[in-house]
Amino acid sequence: MRKLFFLSLMLFALSAVPTKAHKNAQQDTRTIRSGELWPDSDGQHINAHGGGILKFGDTYYWFGEHKSEHTSDALVGVMCYSSKDLLNWRNCGVALKVSDEPGSDIERGCILERPKVIYNKVTGQFCMWFHLELKGRGYDAARYGVAVAEKPEGPYRFLYSQRANAGTWPIEFGQRELSVVDTLQESNFKEAWTPAWHKAVGQGLILKRDFRSGQMSRDMTLYVDDDDKAYHIFSSEDNLTLHIAELTADYLHHTGRYTRMAPAGHNEAPAIFKHEGTYWMITSGCTGWEPNEARMFSASSIWGPWTQHPNPCVGPKAEKTFGGQSTFVLSLGNRYIFMADIWRPRHPIDARYIWLPIEFENGKPVIRWQDEWSPAIKENP
Ligand code: GAL
């Protein structure tokens, strides 16, 4: 009897001491290590690329592209992971599934990139927007897609996809700008990338080309401002100019009010946040899956004017965004996390994540490389 008592006491004591493996697993998820594998709660590398984060209640939801072993085409859809501390993530499954119906806009094998989700307080719906390319057409369609769900993790119902703001000029185009647009003819520019062509692109050469059919919509993000107005920010005009387009109150359509940002500046991968009344936008140049130098802009109104600043990255490979490309900035009260993707086009599922804190120096954001750090979430409101 006494023997049994001691045995059970020992077993109890042993169960309270974490085994080495268990301890290591706990330590592994106490820090963010950009560029390394990031296992979810099942031990699988997180598969949510070109992603963004929504906080709902006390939970963070990470949405991103599911990537496969050998292709970046969408064979599965948009994944969702949840976490309370931004370190330990649970796989909530496929939030938006690609369709098996031939001819569907989101048919399996389409390109579905950079999904972002925002919550609409009025309708109580979760609204997902993403960059969509129709199956078999490369990057020609240049559309945005919209889906909704009643719960953050989905399932999301696909609503529609299209090009942006057909038949509408940006808000800054008055009589003067429109009379210049009238004079622009694509046939006058046999050669692209000349100074004259650049100037014409800035004045609206490609905007005019796509005026009737709708503006191209590729790399994108969503932003909800303090007044609950939401905006869709996307690479348009052959990726030469970003557009910032206001959303309707239900966050499911454009209102038709939009502005062009950095015309002819060739920006992709927009990520935006607001700090003490200033909007900051981080973007990349356009070199496909290859990393390039991050760009940064600021404005006191989302409608601009936007001012360009030097690259905010500091540290090894800072001139190549540490080997990554921006996707999102997560705001935690007055702290911010810069999120980027290290693409692996030959083994897409193995793409890695860069998450780094944004610091402020002399009033400007700085993104300093850190091998390892912790966001130390203390549930900021
Ligand atoms: C990048 C873009 C990615 C993906 C890729 C395809 O420039 O940011 O989202 O579209 O090109 O080459």
Side-chain angles (χ1 to χ4, degrees):
M1 190 65 194
R2 249 176 86 178
K3 242 183 176 169
L4 204 67
F5 172 70
F6 278 119
L7 194 70
S8 46
L9 203 71
M10 251 173 73
L11 277 176
F12 173 74
L14 270 176
S15 69
V17 178
T19 61
K20 196 160 176 271
H22 184 216
K23 227 170 132 192
N24 281 344
Q26 276 184 340
Q27 277 173 357
D28 283 345
T29 48
R30 270 191 214 141
T31 54
I32 288 176
R33 283 183 264 157
S34 296
E36 309 263 308
L37 287 171
W38 193 340
D40 66 10
S41 54
D42 299 327
Q44 300 292 319
H45 180 47
I46 293 170
N47 198 339
H49 309 275
I53 294 195
L54 167 77
K55 188 175 185 203
F56 189 69
D58 63 353
T59 306
Y60 297 93
Y61 294 89
W62 177 352
F63 298 89
E65 305 157 23
H66 176 279
K67 292 219 181 271
S68 308
E69 292 283 340
H70 303 297
T71 175
S72 275
D73 294 352
L75 302 184
V76 171
V78 176
M79 296 298 295
C80 176
Y81 291 80
S82 71
S83 171
K84 301 243 194 246
D85 62 5
L86 297 174
L87 294 166
N88 297 280
W89 293 90
R90 186 176 69 82
N91 184 344
C92 302
V94 187
L96 174 68
K97 283 197 171 74
V98 292
S99 169
D100 282 318
E101 196 191 311
S104 156
D105 285 6
I106 56 165
E107 183 178 351
R108 190 183 308 278
C110 66
I111 294 172
L112 199 166
E113 294 180 336
R114 298 184 177 269
K116 304 288 178 296
V117 173
I118 52 179
Y119 174 64
N120 188 288
K121 289 180 192 160
V122 180
T123 61
Q125 283 184 319
F126 297 86
C127 308
M128 179 189 287
W129 288 54
F130 49 90
H131 167 202
L132 180 73
E133 298 292 348
L134 302 175
K135 184 176 177 178
R137 288 181 43 188
Y139 278 87
D140 279 357
R143 294 186 183 192
Y144 65 90
V146 182
V148 278
E150 314 309 319
K151 289 191 292 174
E153 68 273 28
Y156 285 76
R157 193 160 36 90
F158 174 68
L159 295 181
Y160 69 98
S161 78
Q162 63 180 37
R163 284 202 171 179
N165 291 309
T168 314
W169 295 110
I171 54 164
E172 60 273 20
F173 272 40
Q175 276 316 313
R176 196 163 51 88
E177 287 76 11
L178 288 174
S179 58
V180 174
V181 164
D182 262 352
T183 66
L184 301 175
Q185 294 301 338
E186 273 211 287
S187 52
N188 291 344
F189 299 93
K190 297 260 164 356
E191 215 186 313
W193 306 108
T194 62
W197 174 87
H198 241 100
K199 184 170 175 216
V201 169
Q203 290 170 325
L205 181 71
I206 298 170
L207 189 78
K208 179 181 179 182
R209 180 195 72 191
D210 293 340
F211 181 73
R212 287 201 189 289
S213 54
Q215 301 297 331
M216 299 172 104
S217 180
R218 294 204 182 113
D219 277 13
M220 58 144 281
T221 194
L222 296 178
Y223 179 68
V224 181
D225 212 336
D226 304 331
D227 59 3
D228 290 334
K229 268 197 193 296
Y231 302 87
H232 176 211
I233 302 167
F234 53 96
S235 296
S236 193
E237 304 177 32
D238 286 336
N239 295 347
L240 284 155
T241 299
L242 285 164
H243 288 190
I244 303 177
E246 185 184 67
L247 302 193
T248 50
D250 60 9
Y251 298 170
L252 298 178
H253 297 92
H254 290 146
T255 61
R257 270 171 66 77
Y258 73 100
T259 185
R260 297 167 81 222
M261 189 204 150
H266 223 190
N267 287 282
E268 281 193 325
I272 186 174
F273 66 106
K274 183 156 118 179
H275 178 68
E276 293 176 352
T278 301
Y279 297 84
W280 293 94
M281 183 140 22
I282 297 170
T283 68
S284 74
C286 301
T287 50
W289 302 118
E290 289 300 315
N292 56 54
E293 186 170 31
R295 291 104 179 262
M296 182 167 73
F297 302 83
S298 72
S300 56
S301 159
I302 197 148
W303 298 107
W306 290 87
T307 307
Q308 188 161 1
H309 303 272
N311 173 10
C313 300
V314 176
K317 289 202 275 171
E319 73 296 345
K320 288 270 157 75
T321 320
F322 316 114
Q325 187 183 24
S326 42
T327 183
F328 194 70
V329 172
L330 172 62
S331 299
L332 307 165
N334 61 356
R335 296 190 302 140
Y336 310 90
I337 301 179
F338 171 72
M339 295 167 51
D341 298 279
I342 302 177
W343 303 115
R344 295 267 160 94
R346 275 186 293 269
H347 191 194
I349 195 173
D350 192 38
R352 306 295 171 90
Y353 309 101
I354 294 174
W355 284 31
L356 292 168
I358 298 181
E359 299 156 15
F360 277 83
E361 281 171 18
N362 305 318
K364 284 189 190 170
V366 172
I367 306 169
R368 206 178 293 283
W369 176 262
Q370 301 190 35
D371 289 338
E372 160 165 45
W373 67 286
S374 170
I377 290 303
K378 296 250 165 24
E379 284 325 309
N380 287 353

